[in-house]
Amino acid sequence: MSKTECDIGVLGLGVMGRSFALNMADRGFRVGVYNRTEEKTVRFLEEQAGGRPIEAGSTLQAFAEILKRPRAVLIFVPAGAPVDETIDELIPLLDPGDLVVDCGNSHFKDTDRRNRMLAGKGLLFLGLGVSGGESGARTGPSLMPGGSGEAYRRIRSILEASAARVGGEPCVAYLGPGSAGHYVKMVHNGIEYGLMELIAESYDLLRRGLDLSVEQLASTYAKWNEGVLNSYLIEITARVLERKDEKTGRPLVELIADRARQKGTGRWTSMDALDLKTPVPTLDTAVTMRNLSDRREERETAARVLGPEAGAASCGGDREAFLPRLEQGLLAAMILAYAQGMSLLKQASRSYGYGLDMSAVTGVWRGGCIIRSALLEEIRGAFREEPDLANPLLSPALGRAVMKRRADLVKVVSTAAELGVPVPGFMSALAWFDALRSARLPANLIMAQRDYFGAHRYERVDEEGTFHTQWEA
Ligand code: NAP
């Protein structure tokens, strides 16, 4: 391949960068690559790139030189300072009109800042959310681009060719200006936290509460994946439960320490939801439970002091009858977790001017990404019918879908509470649903208390204006 003709550049050959570089090369695009540690580039070329239209720059300058003008550079480095450092090094090597694409899980406020900074230098910028992990990046991820429309048009054909496809449609769409893409990716991850927590709670309830064997669990989730719960996360749960440890022959999952790590996108989702005053309690709970799981010593002390763990119990005596109720209850809770994330996206779209098209967002999430599921098709349908829905639960079809399963959700929560197995994700989903459909909440009492101790005043249901009562005689 002659120099100066790579269609696109990939900077950062970690897990995601090298996989996406191979993906684009397999679609016929000429890819220029660069990695800070050259050894990794050499290994990539020798062991993985073989025969593909991939060329490397040994220095950043050499990398900039092998790219077709105007250049398009996809950055795959860890979020935070590495992205700023990389952009700062890149800027002097670029020409006005070149395009920089941050493909990491950057905080949306950083993306807005970088957008402004690069625009000031005559450079185009996109914040591109990428979901699907290593295999998604390699074979077809879900892509969430945001930034200038011109920037998107520049690399649209490459992104469409490399994204996952569902029903012939690529799982990529221009989502909006500024940080729209990274915001959507952040909330995608927040929903991912919520769904993973709900699945983990269902596993705990079956394993610890109902004393099902790991083998029984594996076949239960595999069966569920054939039905209404069909989704990537349920599918991999079954696969995880099937896996035996090579050393001991025991189910590997039982040997994995129960400390959940996190990189921050779930926490960011909750923090911004609080800032935007939009309730996402199941997503919040998922972050909280990861934090609690990390306090292992505290939990072990409490377990010693406060009694034995919940053992096998009867669950009303009929495990077989309980399983379909858990399946339906889990479906209801999952719908509620998606709905919380989507209502946050709607609010963010209004507050930050993203102009999000929710059927486009759900369309992008249908394939390639971690939260892909059969359910998303129904949610997409709801937004197609009513694009302005503030919350997908306000769509009669989805609202009814949860209402129909509310009794199952209650059964899951009450069974877990009786057995002493914590299911705060399910509980918060049920409570959020019940609060949402309460035309009257007890905030009247809270307002009275505020007025009592702080003279904060209150509004009345029967009269305009604000009022204060002299509560103490
Ligand atoms: P990774 O495997 O840790 O690779 C990071 C790459 O960035 C390495 O090649 C490293 O180069 C380079 N790098 C680190 N600091 C740098 C700096 N200051 N300047 C220049 N290069 C630097 O990361 P990854 O998993 O591919 O993730 C990349 C981004 O995608 C992250 O934002 C991540 O959150 C996001 N993401 C990851 C996944 C996933 O499943 N892994 C999924 C979705 C999104 P050296 O070889 O020189 O260290």
Side-chain angles (χ1 to χ4, degrees), residues 12-16 35-37 40 76-79 82 85-86 103-105 130 133 185:
L13 293 175
V15 175
M16 297 298 280
N35 191 69
R36 180 182 59 175
T37 308
K40 203 181 267 182
F76 283 92
V77 304
E85 288 161 21
T86 302
C103 304
N105 280 334
V130 181
K185 176 61 178 17

Side-chain angles (χ1 to χ4, degrees), residues 181-208:
H182 274 151
Y183 197 93
V184 169
K185 176 61 178 17
M186 177 186 80
V187 175
H188 163 285
N189 285 23
I191 294 172
E192 176 185 307
Y193 271 57
L195 300 179
M196 289 170 74
E197 173 62 24
L198 291 168
I199 296 170
E201 290 176 7
S202 68
Y203 150 77
D204 202 21
L205 186 50
L206 292 176
R207 181 80 185 108
R208 197 153 61 104

